[in-house]
Every structure is written in structure tokens, then in C-alpha cells.
Amino acid sequence: MLSATEKTLLAEIWARLTPVAEDIGSDALHRMFTTFPGSKVYFSHLDISPRSAHLLSHGKKIVLAIAEGAKDISQLTVTLAPLQTLHAYLLRIDPHNFKLFSHCVLVALAVHLGDDFTHVAHAAMDKYLSAFAAVLTEKYR
Amino acid sequence: MVEWTDQERTIISGIFASLDYDDIGPKSLSRCLIVYPWTQRYFGAFGNLYNAEAIKSNPNIAEHGKTVLHGLDRALKNMDNIKATYADLSVLHSEKLHVDPDNFKLLSDCLTIVIAAKMGSAFTAETQAAFQKFLAVVVSALGRQYH
């Protein structure tokens, strides 16, 4: 469960990172493709080489959605409704991959924020990303 | 048997060569106990784990963090037979300590993140991949003697 303090912290962190959404997102994706090559199967139609236009724009899209959700975490199911449908009926990404991606987001944040990625931020972020992934896969079955 | 490229061996030994065990060991264990509080179940005899500040300043946890991190040295020195290297430790964690093997992954994730924060952009995607492959092999070896 996310406390009120954690929700505020998350909204703050993601608001601060929105200007570098492209960097964080593409870094997290690149880390996932490199560490867990099985995840690349969903991107065979894109150029996912480092800093490619596709990787940057896709990374940006994902991080902006995560940041948007953080503005009002209690409304995640409402905010993510269109993305729920997309992932359930069109993309059908195996849910295991969301855990892999979330982990790589945490690593990207650690690299980017260094000491500022405190244990409080880490715990809150891990919980939020788990909740985000759970909502995203709600329509799967 | 696990195949390692020369590049992977270089990356992995490089990480450990510049690792501050006394800093990273305590940090990663306490980070694991804080972010995944259920892992505290194995540390009932370690004293005050009441909150994050207590965990971070607990000398028993700090000492144990160093011990665990140095435990990885065994794999580093025996990269071509990590499975056999950890057979005894696997039995220990299963029969004596009764640690859920899923928890090894939680600690390895926290270690990855703590090192990423320390190394910054030097912790490239390729570095992360090699390091996580190493940790995955260790985690698998530690879970091998559970029956």
C-alpha cells in the first residue's frame, strides 16, 4: 500500500523527470533489451538500437504515461483505461515482461538520481510500478 | 555449463575490483530489508529492525551485508563452475536457514540497484546485462540444493 507521503513523493519525482522522459524511457528499454533479450520479440517492427528515433519516442511515451498516472494514483484504473484495452487486446505482452521493465526503470532511476534514489524513493517507486503493471494487465482475462 | 564471453568476464571482474565491500554490502542488504520488509523474517536475532533508520544503522546487518557480498567472491574465482561452488551454501540456506529461494533474487535486484546508483552512467546496459547474468547464475546455484 502506498502511503500519502509516498504518493506525494512519487508525483514530485515524476514531475521532475518529465522533461527527461525520453532519456529515462529509452535507457530503461535499452537496459531491458540488453539484459533480457526475450523482451525484444515485441519490438521486431521497430528499430531499437541505442538512441534510435523509435527507441527515444517509445521510451518517452511509456515514461509520460507512468508520470501521468503518478499525478493521481488513486485514479490509475481510470487514467489507464485506454492503455488497458491496448495491452489486453492488441499488444498482449506477457505480464512477466512488466516486472522486467519495472526493474530496468528502477536501475535507470538509480543511475540518473544516484544518492537521491533513496530507500524511500526506491520502495515507493517499486510499489507504484507494480500497481501500474497490475492495472495495465487487468483486462487480460 | 554457463558460457562467458571475454567481455563479460572483464566487466564482472572490473565491477568487483573497484567495489567498496564495506559500503555496498551493508547498503544492499539493508535496502533489501527495507524495500521488501518480509525478508526481515530471517533476521529476528539481529536486533532492532523496527524502521528504516534502525535497519540502516544496525551493526549486525552491516556486518552480514559485508559477509554476503564477500560470498560472491567465490563465484568470481570459479566462474566456470558456480553450481558446484555454492553446493554447500545452498544446503545451508535450505536445510538450516530455511530461506525462500525467491528471496535471493530480491537481494540481487537490490545489489544491482545500489551498484547502479554508485557507478552512475558507467553502469551501462552491457555492464548491467553481464552483472545480472552473473547474479542469476549465483541465485540459481544457491537454489539448487533445495528439495
Side-chain angles (χ1 to χ4, degrees):
Chain A
M1 289 299 306
L2 284 164
S3 68
T5 319
E6 285 175 317
K7 288 182 188 175
T8 307
L9 178 64
L10 287 164
E12 224 172 66
I13 292 176
W14 284 115
R16 231 191 312 148
L17 293 177
T18 297
V20 290
E22 199 178 66
D23 298 319
I24 303 283
S26 62
D27 187 32
L29 281 171
H30 179 53
R31 287 177 183 283
M32 182 179 69
F33 296 143
T34 313
T35 310
F36 310 108
S39 61
K40 289 192 290 188
V41 303
Y42 297 100
F43 294 86
S44 50
H45 60 295
L46 295 180
D47 168 18
I48 51 172
S49 52
R51 307 298 295 175
S52 74
H54 285 164
L55 194 70
L56 290 170
S57 88
H58 210 78
K60 184 175 185 183
K61 226 190 301 195
I62 295 175
V63 165
L64 288 182
I66 294 174
E68 191 61 34
K71 287 181 185 161
D72 191 352
I73 294 173
S74 60
Q75 293 299 303
L76 263 185
T77 312
V78 173
T79 314
L80 295 181
L83 286 173
Q84 284 179 319
T85 307
L86 179 74
H87 284 76
Y89 300 117
L90 197 69
L91 302 178
R92 289 173 293 184
I93 296 172
D94 188 287
H96 174 65
N97 293 282
F98 297 124
K99 286 206 177 98
L100 305 181
F101 183 65
S102 299
H103 171 70
C104 290
V105 170
L106 294 179
V107 175
L109 291 174
V111 165
H112 193 86
L113 298 171
D115 284 340
D116 283 347
F117 195 54
T118 61
H119 65 270
V120 183
H122 180 169
M125 196 62 71
D126 193 27
K127 288 194 276 184
Y128 172 57
L129 293 175
S130 303
F132 194 94
V135 170
L136 212 54
T137 56
E138 246 169 32
K139 292 190 173 136
Y140 269 44
R141 54 178 174 165
Chain B
M1 209 189 74
V2 183
E3 299 284 338
W4 303 98
T5 65
D6 287 338
Q7 200 203 15
E8 285 171 334
R9 290 178 196 266
T10 307
I11 288 174
I12 292 160
S13 50
I15 292 175
F16 281 93
S18 55
L19 199 61
D20 181 355
Y21 286 76
D22 291 346
D23 177 46
I24 300 295
K27 270 195 177 132
S28 35
L29 181 58
S30 56
R31 186 60 70 105
C32 184
L33 295 176
I34 293 167
V35 175
Y36 306 111
W38 55 91
T39 57
Q40 292 168 27
R41 71 189 305 286
Y42 305 108
F43 297 89
F46 277 58
N48 185 3
L49 302 179
Y50 192 61
N51 54 37
E53 291 317 311
I55 294 171
K56 290 204 293 184
S57 55
N58 183 313
N60 295 323
I61 294 294
E63 207 44 49
H64 199 71
K66 294 179 206 171
T67 304
V68 169
L69 192 54
H70 277 294
L72 291 178
D73 292 340
R74 303 186 199 201
L76 188 64
K77 296 191 180 102
N78 294 286
M79 278 181 62
D80 292 316
N81 204 351
I82 292 179
K83 196 160 55 175
T85 304
Y86 284 112
D88 290 344
L89 274 177
S90 179
V91 170
L92 175 79
H93 283 75
S94 159
E95 316 259 301
K96 205 148 174 258
L97 305 176
H98 306 292
V99 177
D100 184 333
D102 287 343
N103 291 170
F104 301 138
K105 188 173 178 304
L106 299 181
L107 179 58
S108 92
D109 284 349
C110 286
L111 177 60
T112 304
I113 285 165
V114 165
I115 288 182
K118 189 85 184 267
M119 289 178 65
S121 50
F123 196 66
T124 63
E126 288 71 30
T127 305
Q128 178 183 347
F131 190 57
Q132 294 213 213
K133 178 177 167 179
F134 175 76
L135 291 179
V137 175
V138 170
V139 163
S140 165
L142 276 174
R144 210 126 194 307
Q145 303 304 325
Y146 280 67
H147 304 293

